């Protein structure tokens, strides 16, 4: 079963910014790219460094540890050393609420 879980409000994620949130027992990053919201895992797929400590510009997040870069809209690896795409999650907005699709069996 899949559920949408509120992770933030629109005013908490201004355009061009990212914020950390917990949903379904995992830490996520929520991004605002030109007024559209996206969600990915918070950890880099290379060595599990926190992407929350990295740089976010345009639609690219850069890992602070080894400088792997990812497209936050697709999870695509843009620059090694990472080779595994960043997991992404479906996002919907209801009024001011930002909701992320999470498998309900993961919610603790």
């Amino acid at each position: 079963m899949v559920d949408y879980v509120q992770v933030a409000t629109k005013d908490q994620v201004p355009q061009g910014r990212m914020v950390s949130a917990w949903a379904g027992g995992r830490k996520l990053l929520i991004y605002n790219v030109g007024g559209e919201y996206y969600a990915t895992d918070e950890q880099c797929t290379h060595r599990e460094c926190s992407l929350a400590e990295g740089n976010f510009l345009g639609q690219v997040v850069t890992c602070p540890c080894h400088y792997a870069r990812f497209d936050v809209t697709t999870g695509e690896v843009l620059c090694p050393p990472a080779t595994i795409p960043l997991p992404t999650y479906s996002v919907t907005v209801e009024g001011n609420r930002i909701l992320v699709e999470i498998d309900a069996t993961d919610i603790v």
Side-chain angles (χ1 to χ4, degrees):
M1 182 175 159
V2 175
D3 286 328
Y4 278 89
V5 176
Q6 182 173 337
V7 291
T9 58
K10 290 182 353 182
D11 53 315
Q12 291 174 316
V13 191
Q15 189 165 314
R17 303 298 291 261
M18 65 179 171
V19 299
S20 297
W22 283 92
R26 61 176 59 95
K27 194 167 187 183
L28 307 179
L29 285 174
I30 313 305
Y31 310 86
N32 183 334
V33 178
E36 297 290 323
Y37 299 92
Y38 298 90
T40 71
D41 273 354
E42 187 266 349
Q43 290 186 330
C44 179
T45 59
H46 173 239
R47 295 284 175 129
E48 299 181 355
C49 289
S50 171
L51 294 173
E53 304 300 321
N55 292 322
F56 173 53
L57 184 61
Q59 63 189 53
V60 177
V61 65
T62 303
C63 181
C65 295
H66 301 105
Y67 307 106
R69 291 193 313 246
F70 301 90
D71 182 325
V72 302
T73 67
T74 64
E76 176 186 3
V77 176
L78 301 175
C79 181
T83 58
I84 300 168
L86 196 57
T88 61
Y89 301 89
S90 178
V91 175
T92 191
V93 176
E94 292 179 357
N96 193 40
R97 299 171 51 212
I98 301 171
L99 307 153
V100 174
E101 184 179 43
I102 297 293
D103 185 334
T105 59
D106 291 340
I107 297 174
V108 289

